[in-house]
Amino acid sequence: MTDRLYYTDAYCAEFTAVVLAVDPASRHVVLDRTALYPTSGGQPHDTGMLGMVRVTDVIDEDERVVHVLESVDGIAPGAPLHGTVDWARRFDWMQQHTGQHLLSALCADGYGWPTTSVHFGDLYCTVDIAAPNVDGATLREIERRANSVITENREVTVSFEDAATAAGLRKPSDRGGELRIITIDGIDRSACGGTHVRRTGEIGSILLRRAERTKGATRVEFLCGARAVARASADADLLTRAARALSAAPDELPALVESQLQRLTESDRERKRLATELARPEAQAMWTAAAPDDRGVRRIVLTTGDAPVKDGEPLAQALVALGGCVVLVRAHTGIMLAAAPDSGVDAGAALKAALSEVGGRGGGSPRSAQGSVADATAAARVSTLLGFE
């Protein structure tokens, strides 16, 4: 059984313990006590040193904590071993985890949105809340309230209480016996085995980057402490560089980008119109040269080489506009099928059926469909299945 020092003192970064067991094959070491936190409750494990050897993983095995080392050479049962925790990593997770408790409490108490899931990642963290939607203004208000609690520097305490009598928990625990409870003074009480800061001021700051719908809930991405500062700084740098490239101020970017996108859309629409106009003479010549089959339908194949199949769309559309034809456009792995209304061919259904035969993907409408295949051999097979070769 391992005495978990982090349960009572998350700030314990050095300790001395006795080796209980060593497994050379797996490089596992079990100690009588440890300050190194194992992956559990969604919080990633600590890293650090045992003696002169680096700890690469820490595993929770109920009664004991298992340390995975780079090497166990020279480590024997019964021997004392000095351990150290990678403090920068530990404190980062303490900030993120305490910030998550604060964020979840504010969402639940202020808006009636309980937390349904939590993810702690190396780049960002998320909470999934039972909210139909969280708009930008609400997100900023939650962020403002969270940072206000941080600056109030409220006490964060650890207590051990019986599950039968523990009151005021944000989420009822389904465990019996003794619970480890983290309390943010006046804000939250939650059963949790993770590591946390002593006061909310040590969270530093909290940045809510975005909220998006996911599986019936809303996922809020957040960062705390040094992570929040680094990400905000990086975001500001990106905005500044983008604004400089467009000769605008950062505050002008949203309206400018929207305007530029509108102009691009209009330009693309005009380009397609002109491409179709230019394709008409070539389409007429190709249509006339193609021999109709016994049903009076002309089948024409176009190739785009290294260019995507969409580059052949203007010519294909100009051809089917002449009526009585089906056009296959081929690139290396891309395929497009266009069919005139009087051709009797459903382009979407026909292409989807042919693609399924070769493991390709795609589909579309009765008049036009697109898809992709693994290689040129599969593309040739699709052509044959569609009756072009």
Side-chain angles (χ1 to χ4, degrees), residues 83-96:
T84 58
V85 177
D86 180 338
W87 180 247
R89 177 181 169 90
R90 159 68 70 81
F91 190 67
D92 172 62
W93 289 124
M94 290 165 63
Q95 289 180 308
Q96 309 310 315

Side-chain angles (χ1 to χ4, degrees), residues 2 20 26 91 108 110 120 149 164 180 195 202 244 249 261 270 283 302 319 323-325 328 375:
T2 305
L20 298 181
S26 60
F91 190 67
F120 294 107
V149 173
R180 180 174 184 265
T195 58
E202 291 182 272
R244 186 182 300 118
L261 286 175
E270 179 62 11
L302 306 177
L319 282 163
C325 75
L328 179 71
D375 50 40

Side-chain angles (χ1 to χ4, degrees), residues 239-295:
L239 284 172
T240 299
R241 288 162 56 192
R244 186 182 300 118
L246 294 172
S247 299
D251 289 345
E252 297 171 347
L253 274 180
L256 181 58
V257 169
E258 184 176 351
S259 173
Q260 295 281 36
L261 286 175
Q262 180 62 34
R263 290 177 60 185
L264 283 173
T265 299
E266 294 172 356
S267 296
D268 189 54
R269 187 181 298 117
E270 179 62 11
R271 180 189 64 78
K272 289 181 178 179
R273 186 190 69 78
L274 292 173
T276 301
E277 288 288 333
L278 291 171
R280 285 177 180 170
E282 184 180 0
Q284 182 65 64
M286 294 181 69
W287 189 91
T288 301
D293 60 18
D294 54 3
R295 294 187 299 110

Side-chain angles (χ1 to χ4, degrees), residues 1 7-8 158-166 169 173-181 191-193:
M1 185 172 179
Y7 270 171
T8 53
V158 179
S159 62
F160 295 86
E161 304 177 27
D162 188 273
T165 58
L169 297 181
S173 176
D174 55 5
R175 295 180 57 187
E178 188 177 68
L179 297 178
R180 180 174 184 265
I181 296 174
C192 179

Side-chain angles (χ1 to χ4, degrees), residues 359-371:
R361 299 175 58 185
S365 70
R367 303 282 66 84
S368 180
Q370 291 187 50

